[in-house]
Amino acid sequence: MQVFNTITNLQSTLDDWRSKDQSIAFVPTMGGLHAGHLSLVTQASQAADKVVVSIFVNPAQFGEGEDFGDYPRTLEGDLSLLKELQVDCAFTPSIETIYPNGVHFGVEVGEIGQILCGKTRPHFFTGVVQVVGRLFDIIRPEVAVFGQKDYQQLHIIKRFSSGVKILSAPIVREKDGLAMSTRNQYLSANERKIAVQLRKTLLQLQKNELDLPAARKQLQQYFKLDYLVVLDANTLSKITNNTSKIAILCAVFLGSTRLIDNIIFNQG
Ligand code: PAF
């Protein structure tokens, strides 16, 4: 596996692949890799001839007081995991390489970036769209793979990335159902036990064992609830007679850790 931290060296390898008509699939990550990320890589390797994975903790998507400084940086371990999966190339740029003119928020995501996660994290989607756009411009992949766990992110990226085919990969879960996340390592042993209540409640809601107010009340027994909503999965707005797919979307705080999860399923 080749590892590049400069754009010039990366692009000369990418140009070489393109000259041989080899297609490129891209998986953007912030490192702290776990089995969820590895499933994205596996999907990418089935979608194109070559796989590029970026590892970049993007300052633009963290707000003040959030965990940019604490975010797990495990580069060596991440690179060996990617090597085992026979990833062709890892891109590990510096902040200056991605933002040569400084981190600025020139991207306008609109209302879709201000609801749900965007309400609590107003910079988040602007920062994500900005970095994904920049990485797409550098790598120019045919395909990119994102996890379904960040469902709103996936939805927004699909809207904003013309020219790159966006694939999604299902949520990978721990044995007890907790959605895998780099941030799960922030949880204390006790919080880790409590965290399973999130998925359990979403399943009860999906099976109509609880209605929405009761599900919210139940979550509030364990967590500080950010939001729990049931929406049209294709539009992220209210369910209508035309809704074919439903999204149960949730974010909670457990101590200082923010957890998100969702269930997407067909109507009827
Ligand atoms: O989902 C993530 O890990 C990040 O938001 C992404 C897409 C790598 C952009 O920094």
Side-chain angles (χ1 to χ4, degrees), residues 30 56 58-63 66 99 105 121 123-125 127-128 131 153:
M30 297 206 299
F56 177 67
N58 174 31
Q61 69 191 71
F62 290 81
E66 290 189 346
Y99 299 116
F105 299 95
R121 309 188 67 196
H123 286 310
F124 180 67
F125 293 112
V128 168
V131 79
Q153 168 175 282

Side-chain angles (χ1 to χ4, degrees), residues 94-112:
S94 66
I95 293 179
E96 293 70 31
T97 300
I98 294 297
Y99 299 116
N101 304 316
V103 180
H104 58 95
F105 299 95
V107 180
E108 195 38 73
V109 177
E111 206 179 310
I112 192 71

Side-chain angles (χ1 to χ4, degrees), residues 223-251:
F223 308 101
K224 182 170 169 266
L225 180 62
D226 186 352
Y227 64 81
L228 171 64
V229 292
V230 184
L231 296 174
D232 183 311
N234 292 319
T235 60
L236 291 191
S237 52
K238 276 193 187 147
I239 291 171
T240 67
N241 290 340
N242 295 327
T243 297
S244 58
K245 219 169 29 146
I246 292 180
I248 298 177
L249 304 170
C250 187

Side-chain angles (χ1 to χ4, degrees), residues 7 11 14 41 123 132 143 157 173-174 183 210 218:
I7 295 175
Q11 284 183 336
L14 301 181
V41 172
H123 286 310
V132 170
V143 179
I157 284 170
R173 297 181 181 279
E174 303 287 354
R183 290 189 168 97
L210 293 175
Q218 177 160 299

Side-chain angles (χ1 to χ4, degrees), residues 16 32 36 44 47 59 64 72 82 115 145 147 173 175 194 213 215 222 227 239 254:
D16 181 44
E64 222 165 279
L82 296 179
I115 60 168
V145 189
R173 297 181 181 279
K175 278 204 183 95
I194 294 170
Y222 301 100
Y227 64 81
I239 291 171
L254 184 49

